[in-house]
Amino acid sequence: MKKFSFVKLLVLLVAIISLPQVVSAQKPEYVLVIHGGAGYLSPENSSENELTIVKNGLQRSLNAGEAVLRAGGSALDAVEASIRMLEDHPAFNAGRGAVINADGNIELDASIMDGSNTMAGAIAGVHTIKNPITAARKVMEASPHVLLIGEGAEKFAGEQGIEIIDPSYFFTEGSWNEYLRIKETQEKDGRKGTVGAVALDKHGNLAAGTSTGGMVMKQYGRVGDVPIIGAGTYANNETCAVSATGHGEYFIRNVVSYDISALMLYKNMSLEDAAHSVVMEKLAKQKGNGGIIAVDKDGNITMQCNTSSMYRGYVKSTGETNVLIFSK
Ligand code: ASP
């Protein structure tokens, strides 16, 4: 009798000790990861005030997306809600506050993808659509196409009842001063980044979206990786959802987001290893600067960049959450 209770006690102790691992290994009900762009910030070259503004913006975006997921909403709705928040925030290179091109204008790109059916929508080179991510979603849901550009995209968005505004809305004092500074210094990398979000919802569906003003001082008409499905954005329920940020030309040539998914599917690699191989090895070797955020179908996340900083954050149904700036 005595021996029996000792064994029982031992079993109970082992169960209690291993409980935290069991709980954290469980698939979270929902996951949201966001980014506000990769760059070359360091604690030395950034102000506390600037970082606080960025962190608050990321937190608001996480809150908006998480509210959708907690209520049982779709990954697609969460991604759109999070990105809209960042587009409206002047601290990021998307929507209001986007970077200015070589001609002194703003041209916005965005895309979104639904992992449940691999449908996708994107727009490029627009300057009157207040929330490009919403227009990209409309292309996916209300047109037979994947990518609309320029005036055609704007005409379509207007017909679909999407908010159209005067281009002056996008210009902020900050982005104009940044434009003048970069024109003067010929600096290659601006201080602001593209925005993106990936999510897994309670129904097991994945989605990804990305929105940007592109590269600072880009040539008029230049389109980056963001609206190119498979380059800047990719989602597939069989593998993962990915949103990228960085030097777009490299991300297009390496089909970065799709490559991560393909490595998982064809080579059975984990999300972490697949992203590492693409961002930290393949891209880094070519000096293709940038990073990605991703979530896989089991709720594992990764946020990897080969630059010194990437504005990023995540939240899981388990309560785990964080907002980060520097890579180390
Ligand atoms: N990938 C974006 C582009 O090339 C820029 C960025 O992520 O900062 O347009």
Side-chain angles (χ1 to χ4, degrees), residues 104-318:
N105 291 311
I106 279 176
E107 290 174 304
L108 307 168
D109 302 336
S111 70
I112 197 161
M113 186 159 183
D114 182 346
S116 72
N117 53 14
T118 62
M119 293 295 279
I123 54 156
V126 299
H127 64 293
T128 62
I129 299 173
K130 181 171 175 279
N131 289 105
I133 194 68
T134 298
R137 183 168 178 179
K138 266 284 182 240
V139 173
M140 173 174 80
E141 291 176 342
S143 91
H145 309 297
V146 171
L147 172 60
L148 295 180
I149 62 162
E151 272 175 37
E154 289 171 344
K155 186 164 175 266
F156 168 79
E159 284 163 5
Q160 293 294 326
I162 286 176
E163 194 173 350
I164 300 291
I165 34 91
D166 188 85
S168 60
Y169 161 82
F170 295 110
F171 289 81
T172 61
E173 206 188 319
S175 59
W176 187 251
N177 288 340
E178 173 83 346
Y179 167 70
L180 296 178
R181 189 180 66 80
I182 289 171
K183 214 171 165 183
E184 179 93 17
T185 58
Q186 302 279 306
E187 187 184 299
K188 291 263 157 48
D189 301 290
R191 295 179 71 81
K192 289 170 153 194
T194 292
V195 308
V198 296
L200 169 73
D201 66 28
K202 287 185 178 177
H203 317 285
N205 291 322
L206 291 169
T210 316
S211 181
T212 190
M215 303 279 286
V216 271
M217 287 292 167
K218 66 182 180 183
Q219 187 182 311
Y220 177 76
R222 177 265 189 186
V223 174
D225 60 316
V226 169
I228 308 299
I229 298 302
T233 302
Y234 190 74
N236 187 333
N237 274 10
E238 281 189 60
T239 53
C240 60
V242 185
S243 170
T245 167
H247 197 148
E249 281 69 11
Y250 290 85
F251 284 69
I252 295 175
R253 288 195 289 258
N254 288 283
V255 206
V256 165
S257 299
Y258 177 74
D259 201 20
I260 293 170
S261 165
L263 285 173
M264 293 178 72
L265 193 64
Y266 303 137
K267 279 198 152 182
N268 221 6
M269 279 169 92
S270 69
L271 176 68
E272 184 74 21
D273 289 350
H276 190 273
S277 139
V278 176
V279 177
M280 309 307 272
E281 293 169 23
K282 207 169 171 182
L283 277 177
K285 212 179 284 172
Q286 299 170 28
K287 299 202 172 14
N289 304 328
I292 62 96
I293 53 160
V295 57
D296 73 14
K297 61 181 177 13
D298 299 314
N300 300 303
I301 68 167
T302 193
M303 307 182 288
Q304 298 189 39
C305 61
N306 57 34
T307 50
S308 65
S309 62
M310 181 166 75
Y311 298 156
R312 61 203 187 277
Y314 64 87
V315 61
K316 299 182 180 184
S317 55
T318 52

